[in-house]
């Protein structure tokens, strides 16, 4: 009703608001509840300022992200492929991503920002990123500007004894 004072819209009245709310309860809420059972609903508080709501919405739209790191030959790709296939995730090799995007000579902030932009376009519900992060700055920048990883897999291997 507060909006009605300045909106100039004829449909900003109590009767219309009640009808809108009832329509939501009857038609939309059951659909939301169904998808909530499958973990597909993300809730965003829209009462804050526009920038904060935008940031929260962007985070809610990103897929669930996990990282897999370890030294060369530790089995990251093999384990990553197996995990991805068993969890309906997409495996993304960070080093390949950098090469494909032509970011080899870019600073960490530019590279991680490009990764976040790529994740925003993903349709897969889960992304497993191999070889990421490569340093502390990348990890902190990613978490600050995106989402916390749901899991971090750290692989290690013993030295060859031959």
């Amino acid at each position: 009703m507060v909006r009605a004072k300045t909106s100039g819209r004829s449909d900003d009245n109590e009767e219309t608001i009640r009808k809108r709310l009832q329509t939501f309860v009857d038609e939309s809420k059951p659909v939301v509840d169904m998808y909530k059972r499958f973990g597909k609903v993300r809730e965003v508080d829209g009462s804050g300022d526009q920038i904060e709501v935008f940031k929260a919405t962007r985070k809610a739209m990103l897929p669930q992200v996990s990282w897999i790191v370890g030294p060369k030959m530790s089995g990251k790709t093999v384990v990553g492929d197996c995990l991805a296939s068993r969890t309906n995730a997409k495996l993304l090799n960070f080093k390949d991503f950098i090469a494909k995007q032509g970011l080899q000579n870019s600073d960490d902030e530019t590279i991680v920002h490009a990764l976040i932009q790529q994740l925003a376009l993903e349709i897969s519900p889960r992304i497993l990123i191999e070889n990421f992060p490569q340093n502390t700055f990348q990890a902190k920048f990613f978490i600050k500007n995106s989402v916390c990883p749901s899991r971090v897999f750290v692989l290690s291997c013993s030295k060859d004894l031959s």
Side-chain angles (χ1 to χ4, degrees):
M1 295 307 299
V2 173
R3 182 178 84 169
K5 295 175 185 175
T6 59
S7 71
R9 291 177 50 167
S10 61
D11 62 345
D12 274 348
N13 57 60
E14 190 172 338
E15 180 185 347
T16 303
I17 292 169
R18 287 186 193 282
K19 285 181 183 177
R20 287 179 187 154
L21 183 57
Q22 192 60 50
T23 298
F24 172 78
V25 169
D26 293 343
E27 297 177 20
S28 300
K29 190 164 182 337
V31 175
V32 171
D33 291 341
M34 179 192 71
Y35 281 107
K36 193 177 275 190
R37 285 183 280 164
F38 296 104
K40 299 290 184 186
V41 174
R42 305 287 185 265
E43 294 186 23
V44 175
D45 181 0
S47 63
D49 68 44
Q50 289 178 340
I51 293 172
E52 292 304 315
V53 172
F54 171 77
K55 286 179 181 178
T57 302
R58 182 179 62 186
K59 284 184 180 184
M61 292 176 63
L62 292 173
Q64 180 185 47
V65 176
S66 297
W67 301 340
I68 184 167
V69 295
K72 282 185 176 186
M73 306 303 291
S74 61
K76 294 182 299 289
T77 302
V78 173
V79 171
D81 281 336
C82 184
L83 282 170
S85 68
R86 290 176 181 235
T87 61
N88 191 31
K90 178 179 177 180
L91 180 62
L92 186 146
N93 184 301
F94 185 60
K95 290 179 180 178
D96 292 345
F97 170 80
I98 291 171
K100 287 178 186 173
Q101 299 296 316
L103 298 169
Q104 296 90 332
N105 297 318
S106 299
D107 61 278
D108 285 333
E109 186 173 327
T110 301
I111 293 169
V112 176
H113 185 68
L115 175 64
I116 294 167
Q117 287 181 318
Q118 180 66 36
L119 292 175
L121 301 173
E122 281 295 336
I123 58 172
S124 179
R126 283 172 285 289
I127 305 293
L128 177 60
I129 308 174
E130 179 183 343
N131 294 312
F132 181 81
Q134 296 177 335
N135 57 52
T136 305
F137 178 86
Q138 289 179 351
K140 289 180 178 179
F141 187 82
F142 184 90
I143 291 168
K144 180 181 178 189
N145 294 284
S146 181
V147 294
C148 286
S150 56
R151 291 174 183 80
V152 177
F153 300 96
V154 181
L155 303 182
S156 60
C157 56
S158 60
K159 288 184 175 182
D160 289 337
L161 300 175
S162 55

